[in-house]
Amino acid sequence: MAATPGLEHSRKAFGWAARDKSGVLSPFDFTRRETGEKDVAIKVLFCGICHSDLHNIKSEWGQSVYPLVPGHEIAGEVVEVGSKVEKYKVGDRVGVGCMVNSCRSCNSCDENLENYCSKMVLTYGGKDIDGSITQGGYSDLVVVDEHFVISIPDGLPLEAAAPLLCAGITVYSPLQYFGIGKPGLHVGVVGLGGLGHMAVKFAKAFGSKVTVISTSPNKKKEAIEHLGADTFLVSRNQEELEAAKGSLDGIIDTVSAVHSLVPLIDLLKTGGKLVIVGLPDHPLELPIFPILARKSVAGSCIGGIKETQEMINYAAKYDIQPDIEIIPVDYVNTAMERLLKADVKYRFVIDIGKTLKPSS
């Protein structure tokens, strides 16, 4: 049986993994650690496909270790708990997002910002505390320290909860932290994909006026009539951009391709904030003159565990759910090809519970 890179454990697991930079995923037998005293073992039922999964299986960020089981939008059911676990019991509905450990002692961890801990352990492709390489949620089972497990309220379907654990918190956190998701404020959302459509939904729920900014004119009807955006700008239409200059209090930029920031900065009011949450694979240029009118360009990366739980609770309370396409696990390579073409509305979710079948 193939073992987890780094350190072999004793508990059998099964998933789909990429073996090399081709990014092609195929069935993979590997191992998980046994349930420790503070661990929660989770039967994976659903796992969302994030755009970063596509980058990582192809090692486009230059750091992937193979074999690699991707997936950090995990939703499932607790099947075992360690002797010192206090928050969860067998049968609970839970999720796991982008991280599974951190140092717990630095300033970031003390402030419930484990996502900014320098020793944060990624859910897959990260080096865990025992030296093994973590493997993600395109698999039947995960074992995670209870601190990094998210409780999923009963009213929120597991398949809808899964993408919230990355796409949801990635836009929820900057809307809150930078104070741009409020009644009376006007927020721009750049890109209408997995992240963008959730930014629209959360910003509207917070009471903001929302303008979607996209290169695709054919997304206007969808943005306004289906997602509830107030207005729509075509980013290649200079007349529309000129008319909207200085109109936005903040912008959430979700685009993962290289693009110009200057037209976006020009849309901001004095004191406005452009927050980048997309992850282009090449650096973006930032000229200084456009930001001298007290305009800020910042970044944001997911959220801490406390805030992620708050986000999930908020989504359940106000029925904020991603638009998803549920797929079987053997469709995952086709889904990756479609994701590369932005051919999904708006998040693929793998039905792990019903379609992942062990190789033996």
Side-chain angles (χ1 to χ4, degrees), residues 29-159:
D29 290 295
F30 64 108
T31 57
R32 298 282 190 193
R33 69 171 182 262
E34 293 296 334
T35 307
E37 60 184 17
K38 294 288 287 182
D39 284 340
V40 177
I42 302 164
K43 178 182 179 181
V44 181
L45 297 176
F46 295 97
C47 188
I49 297 180
C50 177
H51 206 280
S52 60
D53 296 348
L54 183 58
H55 286 291
N56 280 308
I57 60 175
K58 294 177 178 289
S59 198
E60 291 176 343
W61 292 334
Q63 57 194 11
S64 297
V65 178
Y66 299 102
L68 178 68
V69 179
H72 57 211
E73 298 181 343
I74 302 165
E77 180 181 304
V78 176
V79 292
E80 185 180 23
V81 297
S83 60
K84 294 186 178 180
V85 168
E86 299 176 353
K87 294 166 58 179
Y88 300 102
K89 64 183 185 303
V90 172
D92 283 352
R93 306 165 78 250
V94 296
V96 178
C98 301
M99 56 185 165
V100 292
N101 220 324
S102 68
C103 80
R104 322 284 185 91
S105 60
C106 67
N107 289 338
S108 292
C109 288
D110 287 345
E111 295 174 6
N112 298 306
L113 295 170
E114 302 92 340
N115 49 314
Y116 298 123
C117 172
S118 64
K119 296 181 180 179
M120 183 261 286
V121 178
L122 295 171
T123 300
Y124 67 87
K127 194 169 187 178
D128 211 346
I129 53 175
D130 62 5
S132 65
I133 301 300
T134 56
Q135 302 288 4
Y138 297 13
S139 60
D140 57 355
L141 176 81
V142 292
V143 181
V144 181
D145 185 288
E146 71 166 332
H147 180 81
F148 293 88
V149 177
I150 303 298
S151 177
I152 299 177
D154 289 339
L156 185 62
L158 290 178
E159 61 269 29

Side-chain angles (χ1 to χ4, degrees), residues 266-318:
D266 286 346
L267 294 174
L268 293 171
K269 298 176 181 177
T270 299
K273 301 163 186 172
L274 168 61
V275 187
I276 299 171
V277 297
L279 295 170
D281 52 11
H282 290 88
L284 301 179
E285 290 188 5
L286 178 59
I288 298 302
F289 282 102
I291 66 173
L292 293 182
R294 286 190 176 174
K295 298 181 181 182
S296 303
V297 178
S300 183
C301 182
I302 56 173
I305 295 300
K306 180 181 179 181
E307 187 176 40
T308 301
Q309 187 66 65
E310 291 172 358
M311 178 274 305
I312 282 284
N313 294 346
Y314 186 93
K317 181 177 181 179
Y318 294 102

Side-chain angles (χ1 to χ4, degrees), residues 172-234:
Y172 178 98
S173 183
L175 285 168
Q176 294 281 66
Y177 178 78
F178 291 99
I180 55 178
K182 294 180 179 178
L185 297 186
H186 190 174
V187 178
V189 174
V190 188
L192 199 60
L195 296 179
H197 92 290
M198 289 310 308
V200 173
K201 292 188 178 193
F202 276 119
K204 288 300 297 181
F206 295 153
S208 302
K209 179 181 178 181
V210 177
T211 292
V212 169
I213 304 160
S214 173
T215 59
S216 306
N218 59 3
K219 292 186 177 181
K220 180 175 182 178
K221 182 176 180 180
E222 175 83 5
I224 294 175
E225 295 184 8
H226 175 62
L227 296 175
D230 298 282
T231 55
F232 187 93
L233 292 176
V234 178

